[in-house]
Amino acid sequence: MNHYTISALVANKSGVLTRVSALFARRGYNIDSLSVCATEDPAFSRMTIVLNGDEYILSQMMKQMDKLIDVKKIKRVEHEAVTRELLLVKVKTDAKTRSQLFELSQIFRANIVDVSPDALIMELTGKPVKLDGFVNMLMPYGIMELARTGVTAISRGNACIKDEADYKEKI
């Protein structure tokens, strides 16, 4: 099984996220990561979906999503795309381990956003594999809480999902 990333330009209105996620649920496919936000055009939102499966599952889900009226454009995000995810993690700390955690945060280029006598919160942005590595390094210290945003992706160069000729037809 492989991870595939799909980027979709959808109508920015209520119920669209529900319809897309229900489409996956009805077919028994799990969404590994989902990120949605309005675009520079307030009429549209951009969805980034990561799913686990094979080429057949990917093609079926893209075809099914394309049938939804509110999905204006959909495409597979290629490996050359810029992908990022945000992690916030709260770790147990004391006087002995605080300097070790500060050093670890510098190695991974994480920002420490909150410090208390018995815990600190770190923020890290990057590819999911980098975040996984950071979490693994923090495990021995005792992770109290962890939150991840899910992958957001955008194509490199002048390739854009928002191409007037492609999605105006579906409006």
Side-chain angles (χ1 to χ4, degrees), residues 10-23 47 68 70:
V10 300
N12 186 13
K13 60 183 187 181
S14 64
V16 175
L17 176 59
T18 302
R19 284 189 281 287
V20 170
S21 61
L23 182 71
M47 265 187 197
L68 296 175
D70 292 323

Side-chain angles (χ1 to χ4, degrees), residues 26-94:
R26 281 194 307 273
R27 283 153 184 78
Y29 299 136
N30 188 41
I31 296 173
D32 287 343
S33 169
L34 175 64
S35 175
V36 185
C37 188
T39 65
E40 69 284 355
D41 182 345
F44 300 101
S45 288
R46 183 185 187 110
M47 265 187 197
T48 305
I49 302 169
V50 177
L51 66 118
N52 201 4
D54 56 23
E55 290 283 337
Y56 176 77
I57 291 171
L58 173 68
S59 106
Q60 288 302 304
M61 292 316 300
M62 288 183 68
K63 287 175 187 173
Q64 294 299 316
M65 281 182 67
D66 199 40
K67 290 179 183 178
L68 296 175
I69 293 169
D70 292 323
V71 176
K72 306 305 178 190
K73 174 111 187 247
I74 182 168
K75 73 178 216 176
R76 178 180 172 185
V77 176
E78 300 301 328
H79 296 291
E80 308 85 51
V82 175
T83 60
R84 294 291 182 267
E85 185 174 4
L86 170 68
L87 165 76
L88 289 175
V89 59
K90 185 187 299 184
V91 184
K92 289 181 188 175
T93 188
D94 56 29

Side-chain angles (χ1 to χ4, degrees), residues 142-157:
I143 295 176
M144 299 168 68
E145 274 187 289
L146 181 143
R148 293 175 80 155
T149 60
V151 174
T152 299
I154 195 164
S155 299
R156 292 184 184 270

Side-chain angles (χ1 to χ4, degrees), residues 134-135 171:
F134 187 58
V135 168
I171 295 179

